[in-house]
């Protein structure tokens, strides 16, 4: 089974106890983890880190035996830039690539499925990525 890149919003739902999404996200992580390796990258790690005061607590929340850490491939950074250019041409107002572009591009280049609860941008800019979403 293809590895699953886990979007930071799903992890934060669980670690921060999101009122509406914690149960769905916990079940989705557990289900995906039984079927395939779970993967995170430095962008996801950085986004999740905002909920922690120190790296030791973050490490406990993202145990390496559960979440395989991977660098962001240069090919994914290139693809993220191209997707961001399309976003801008469609009227997007941000001036620097958003984390979702790096996450989506990593999933696309790695051939990974992507576990997220916010599929809109991924569907628009990375249509080849198989999404696991509500």
């Amino acid at each position: 089974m293809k590895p699953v890149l886990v979007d930071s919003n799903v992890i934060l739902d669980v670690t921060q106890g999101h009122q509406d999404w914690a149960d769905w996200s916990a079940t989705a992580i557990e289900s995906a983890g039984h079927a395939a390796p779970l993967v995170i990258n430095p962008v996801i790690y950085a986004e999740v880190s905002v909920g922690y005061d120190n790296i030791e607590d973050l490490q406990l929340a993202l145990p390496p035996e559960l979440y395989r850490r991977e660098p962001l491939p240069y090919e994914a950074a290139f693809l993220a830039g191209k997707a961001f250019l399309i976003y801008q041409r469609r009227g997007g107002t941000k001036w620097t690539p958003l984390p979702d572009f790096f996450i989506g591009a990593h999933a696309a280049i790695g051939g990974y499925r992507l576990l997220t609860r916010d599929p809109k941008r991924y569907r628009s800019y990375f249509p080849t990525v198989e999404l696991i979403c509500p």
Side-chain angles (χ1 to χ4, degrees):
M1 183 66 75
K2 289 194 259 184
V4 176
L5 191 64
V6 183
D7 198 354
S8 52
N9 57 32
V10 175
I11 295 169
L12 286 168
D13 288 345
V14 176
T15 61
Q16 303 301 305
H18 190 285
Q19 179 177 316
D20 297 325
W21 289 103
D23 290 339
W24 181 88
S25 294
T27 300
I29 289 171
E30 183 177 351
S31 178
H34 284 304
L38 301 177
V39 178
I40 60 171
N41 64 31
V43 174
I44 295 164
Y45 190 89
E47 286 191 310
V48 174
S49 76
V50 301
Y52 295 88
D53 292 330
N54 60 62
I55 196 166
E56 293 80 14
D57 290 341
L58 178 59
Q59 291 289 85
L60 290 173
L62 297 173
E65 55 277 0
L66 179 60
Y67 297 101
R68 184 172 78 198
R69 287 145 169 75
E70 289 190 1
L72 187 67
Y74 281 88
E75 295 85 353
F78 180 82
L79 181 57
K82 294 304 174 193
F84 181 72
L85 185 60
I86 294 168
Y87 160 83
Q88 285 187 316
R89 289 180 178 160
R90 291 179 179 170
T93 58
K94 304 290 183 183
W95 289 100
T96 57
L98 303 170
D100 289 351
F101 287 101
F102 291 104
I103 293 167
H106 188 179
I109 293 298
Y112 299 156
R113 294 176 297 146
L114 177 60
L115 173 56
T116 185
R117 66 168 167 79
D118 188 18
K120 184 178 178 184
R121 187 171 288 134
Y122 298 118
R123 282 193 179 123
S124 295
Y125 298 100
F126 304 98
T128 62
V129 173
E130 179 185 342
L131 299 177
I132 303 168
C133 57

